[in-house]
């Protein structure tokens, strides 16, 4: 701020020599500018902006003698507007921030201030990203979606924005659009998107199995398994394959389930299912293998021993 006042003092001295008749007008401009500078120093940015705009108008009427201060005003006005916009962003008043940014862009373009224009353009992204994230956190998914769509259109490699967009689309039931957004998020470094994609396909598979649409279930669950290694997914896949008569595929899926969750509460029951399914399909070796594992089990041991005896005949 001291440097600023030094510039002003020099300007006043020049003004007094060059055009004494306009000293009063020039001094008015200086006083207005200094009031703006003091307001800015005291963090009263709105008042500072008003003073700088008034000073600019007066300095522009001072001809060549006011040119230096005109340039200074044109530097400070957009930067002050940008600073106000940043405050609005920090206060989560994003719409007000975006209005300020628009004003900053306009005056920066009008004044030929490329640095301010670039900063304002970058701040649009910040405001929209923060607004979108805030809306998602508030579970206002319907309003978050158009904001996040603006972000990803402008920033096609913004993995976080695609992740939030995918989450929001899932919440309102737009599953296909959500998966597309989440795949883009994953491609841009957001690994957690893969888990969401997998769980989404898994839910589709569960619904299809419940509706006995086994072909759809198998397709959905196999997609899920591309994104997550989930024991329950393989158990569900086994049920779908079994329902559609694909015995061998069902056994493979059940084995994978036990591999991923060997301490599952229903592990022994699943082994019995594998043995019985294999026995029914004529796969004696697999049936014997799994019945043998169960012959000392308190719950299924008797059944296993009986079937082993039958298989030896």
């Amino acid at each position: 701020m001291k440097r600023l006042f030094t510039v002003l003092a020099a300007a006043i001295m020049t003004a007094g020599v060059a055009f004494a008749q306009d000293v009063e007008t020039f001094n008015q401009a200086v006083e207005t500018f200094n009031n703006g500078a003091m307001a800015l120093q005291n963090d009263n940015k709105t008042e500072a902006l008003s003073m700088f705009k008034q000073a600019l108008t007066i300095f522009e009427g001072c001809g060549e003698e006011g040119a230096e201060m005109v340039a200074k005003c044109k530097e400070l006005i957009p930067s002050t507007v940008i600073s106000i916009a940043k405050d609005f962003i920090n206060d989560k008043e994003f719409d007000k921030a975006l209005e300020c940014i628009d004003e900053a862009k306009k005056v920066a373009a009008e004044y030929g201030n490329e640095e301010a224009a670039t900063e304002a353009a970058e701040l649009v992204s910040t405001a929209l990203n923060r607004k979108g994230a805030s809306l998602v956190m508030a579970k206002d998914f319907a309003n978050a979606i158009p904001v996040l769509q603006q972000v990803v259109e402008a920033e096609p490699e913004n993995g976080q924005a695609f992740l939030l967009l995918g989450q929001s689309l899932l919440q309102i039931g737009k599953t296909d659009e959500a998966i597309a957004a989440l795949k883009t998020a994953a491609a841009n470094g957001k690994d957690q998107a893969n888990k969401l994609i997998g769980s989404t396909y898994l839910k589709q598979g569960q619904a299809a199995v419940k509706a006995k649409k086994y072909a759809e279930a198998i397709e959905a669950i196999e997609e899920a398994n591309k994104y997550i290694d989930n024991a329950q997914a393989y158990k569900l896949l086994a049920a779908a394959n079994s329902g559609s008569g694909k015995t061998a595929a069902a056994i493979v899926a059940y084995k994978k389930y036990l591999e991923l969750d060997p301490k599952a509460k229903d592990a022994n029951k699943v082994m019995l299912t594998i043995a019985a399914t294999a026995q029914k399909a004529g796969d004696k070796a697999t049936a014997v293998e799994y019945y043998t594992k169960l012959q000392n089990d308190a719950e299924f041991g008797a059944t296993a021993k009986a079937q082993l005896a039958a298989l030896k005949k």
Side-chain angles (χ1 to χ4, degrees), residues 140-155:
D140 187 356
F141 303 110
N143 285 317
I145 289 167
V147 175
L148 293 166
Q149 285 173 332
Q150 287 183 68
V151 174
V152 299
E153 285 172 10
E155 303 172 40

Side-chain angles (χ1 to χ4, degrees), residues 265-297:
K265 290 181 179 180
D266 63 347
N268 288 352
K269 184 177 181 180
V270 169
M271 284 194 283
L272 183 65
T273 300
I274 292 172
T277 303
Q279 184 179 7
K280 186 177 180 181
D283 182 357
K284 184 176 179 180
T286 299
V288 169
E289 177 187 354
Y290 280 85
Y291 281 135
T292 301
K293 290 179 180 181
L294 290 169
Q295 60 184 337
N296 295 318
D297 181 74

Side-chain angles (χ1 to χ4, degrees), residues 176-197:
D176 291 342
E177 292 177 40
I179 289 174
L182 291 170
K183 285 181 178 179
T184 305
N188 285 282
K190 293 298 175 180
D191 293 337
Q192 60 266 53
N194 287 322
K195 186 176 181 180
L196 281 172
I197 296 168

Side-chain angles (χ1 to χ4, degrees), residues 45 79-94 96-98 100-101 119-120 123 126-127 130:
K45 297 172 186 176
S79 67
T80 302
V81 178
I82 287 171
S83 185
I84 293 170
K86 289 178 180 178
D87 288 342
F88 279 132
I89 290 173
N90 290 333
D91 292 337
K92 297 184 179 181
E93 296 189 57
F94 302 110
K96 289 182 179 179
L98 290 165
C100 278
I101 295 168
E119 186 176 2
L123 199 58
T126 300
R130 293 274 297 274

Side-chain angles (χ1 to χ4, degrees), residues 72-188:
K72 192 66 181 176
C73 288
K74 288 184 175 181
E75 176 187 333
L76 284 171
I77 289 171
S79 67
T80 302
V81 178
I82 287 171
S83 185
I84 293 170
K86 289 178 180 178
D87 288 342
F88 279 132
I89 290 173
N90 290 333
D91 292 337
K92 297 184 179 181
E93 296 189 57
F94 302 110
D95 291 335
K96 289 182 179 179
L98 290 165
E99 288 177 10
C100 278
I101 295 168
D102 282 341
E103 182 183 350
K105 289 164 68 176
K106 288 176 184 176
V107 293
E110 181 184 344
Y111 300 160
N113 189 330
E114 293 183 7
E115 184 178 347
T118 299
E119 186 176 2
E122 291 173 351
L123 199 58
V124 171
S125 172
T126 300
L128 290 174
N129 273 289
R130 293 274 297 274
K131 181 179 180 180
S134 180
L135 288 167
V136 171
M137 187 170 291
K139 298 185 179 180
D140 187 356
F141 303 110
N143 285 317
I145 289 167
V147 175
L148 293 166
Q149 285 173 332
Q150 287 183 68
V151 174
V152 299
E153 285 172 10
E155 303 172 40
E157 296 181 357
N158 188 329
Q160 179 64 19
F162 273 109
L163 177 62
L164 293 175
L165 178 59
Q167 290 172 327
S168 299
L169 288 164
L170 280 177
Q171 291 296 327
I172 66 168
K174 294 189 175 182
T175 305
D176 291 342
E177 292 177 40
I179 289 174
L182 291 170
K183 285 181 178 179
T184 305
N188 285 282

